[in-house]
Amino acid sequence: PASNLGLEDIIRKALMGNLEE
Amino acid sequence: EITKEQQVLMQAILKAYERHQIPQDVAKRLLHDQYSAEENFLLLTEMATSQVQVLVEFTKNIPGFLSLDHEDQIALLKGSAVEAMFLRSAQVFNRKTPAGHTEVLEERIRKSGISEEFIKPMFNFYKSIGELLMSPEEQALLTAVTILTPDRPYVKDHAAVERLQEPMLEVLKKLCTLHHPHEPQYFARLLGRLTELRSLNHYHAEIITSWRVN
C-alpha cells in the first residue's frame, strides 16, 4: 500500500541521514 | 541487582530516548486553536512524519541496532513505527500539561476524520499506559523492546534481533522489581501493554483504509 511506501521512504531517508548535523 | 553492563545499556537507551523528542516548534503548532479540517489533517500528517524521524534517530542509538542487516533494520522500524509512536503519544498525553492543552489535543484527534470506534481503543490505551506510572528508564526500554521485536514481517535474521532484545527485557524486568517491589505483576502488566499495542497496530491499518475512503 502507498501509505506503507511513504513510511518506508521516511525510514530509509532517516536511516541514511543524520538529523543532528 | 543491576550489573554494570546492564547499567551502561540502560543509560545509553535512556539518553537516546530523551535526546530524540518531537521538535518544540512542531509540537507547539498543535496547540494553535484555529484550523480547518484540511489544515488539521496536514498538521497531523506532518507530526507523524516528524515522529518517525525522531523514532529512527532514537533507534540508531540503541546499542547494536546498526550492526543488524540493513534491510532487517528497515523491516524492524517499519513493523514497529506505529506501535512506538502510540507509546510515545501515550506518554505525551499523560504528561502534566498546562490547563486546556490535553483538551485541544484530544479535539484535534477527534476532528481528524478517524471514526470513534478507532479513537476509543486509542484513548483507552493512553489511559492504561498512564496508570502504570512508568519511570523514564522503563519507558525508554519498553520502546526499545517494541522496536526490537524479532517476529515483524520481512525480518530475516530473527536470532540476531533476539540477541539484542533479550538483554533489554532482562534489564526491564530487574528495573520493574526494583521500582515496584510491592507489585510482583508489574513486569507482566508492561508486557500486556505490548499485546495491546499489537491490536492498535492492526486498528491503525484499518484507520488508514477508512481515511482513504473518506
Side-chain angles (χ1 to χ4, degrees):
Chain A
S3 65
N4 286 348
L5 277 179
L7 176 62
E8 191 171 325
D9 285 340
I10 301 165
I11 291 170
R12 281 186 188 276
K13 267 188 200 156
L15 265 180
M16 283 190 301
N18 191 348
L19 278 186
E20 284 159 2
E21 273 174 7
Chain B
E1 206 171 279
I2 290 178
T3 65
K4 210 163 186 171
E5 222 176 29
Q6 288 177 322
Q7 190 75 32
V8 170
L9 176 69
M10 187 175 77
Q11 286 306 326
I13 294 173
L14 178 64
K15 204 173 137 198
Y17 191 75
E18 290 187 332
R19 187 146 34 105
H20 300 293
Q21 313 252 359
I22 291 185
Q24 278 289 318
D25 54 323
V26 181
K28 268 185 193 159
R29 283 173 48 208
L30 271 179
L31 298 167
H32 291 180
D33 48 7
Q34 291 300 319
Y35 54 85
S36 66
E38 194 186 348
E39 280 165 351
N40 191 37
F41 180 84
L42 287 174
L43 184 57
L44 288 173
T45 311
E46 201 184 314
M47 280 292 292
T49 307
S50 179
Q51 276 216 41
V52 175
Q53 288 166 337
V54 166
L55 174 72
V56 175
E57 287 307 311
F58 162 64
T59 309
K60 278 156 82 173
N61 287 282
I62 295 177
F65 179 80
L66 289 177
S67 67
L68 294 171
D69 172 83
H70 187 67
E71 288 306 309
D72 277 358
Q73 292 176 19
I74 290 158
L76 286 175
L77 280 161
K78 220 176 140 181
S80 65
V82 167
E83 294 178 24
M85 283 159 75
F86 274 128
L87 261 183
R88 179 81 80 163
S89 307
Q91 284 142 21
V92 171
F93 228 82
N94 288 310
R95 204 180 291 154
K96 277 203 175 105
T97 49
H101 283 196
T102 314
E103 287 75 10
V104 175
L105 213 57
E106 209 173 310
E107 178 90 346
R108 267 197 187 277
I109 295 170
R110 290 194 188 279
K111 283 187 176 166
S112 62
I114 305 174
S115 67
E116 188 61 30
E117 61 170 314
F118 294 129
I119 286 181
K120 217 172 165 194
M122 191 168 82
F123 283 128
N124 283 346
F125 174 74
Y126 289 173
K127 208 174 138 228
S128 74
I129 285 287
E131 284 164 357
L132 286 171
L133 301 170
M134 275 191 273
S135 67
E137 289 89 349
E138 288 161 353
Q139 291 172 12
L141 280 166
L142 192 66
T143 308
V145 164
T146 305
I147 297 162
L148 292 167
T149 299
D151 62 340
R152 300 291 186 194
Y154 310 112
V155 171
K156 287 166 286 180
D157 195 349
H158 287 218
V161 182
E162 242 165 36
R163 276 196 297 274
L164 289 185
Q165 194 198 35
E166 201 57 44
M168 287 169 202
L169 276 168
E170 274 168 34
V171 190
L172 186 56
K173 193 174 178 183
K174 277 192 183 179
L175 263 188
C176 291
T177 314
L178 285 171
H179 287 168
H180 313 270
H182 304 299
E183 290 174 87
Q185 294 301 315
Y186 191 86
F187 180 62
R189 283 170 68 202
L190 280 195
L191 296 187
R193 296 301 180 273
L194 296 186
T195 315
E196 220 176 310
L197 267 175
R198 286 243 166 174
S199 320
L200 281 177
N201 201 350
H202 176 75
Y203 269 131
H204 183 265
E206 290 184 40
I207 291 171
I208 298 294
T209 313
S210 75
W211 250 350
R212 284 225 194 81
V213 173
N214 286 338

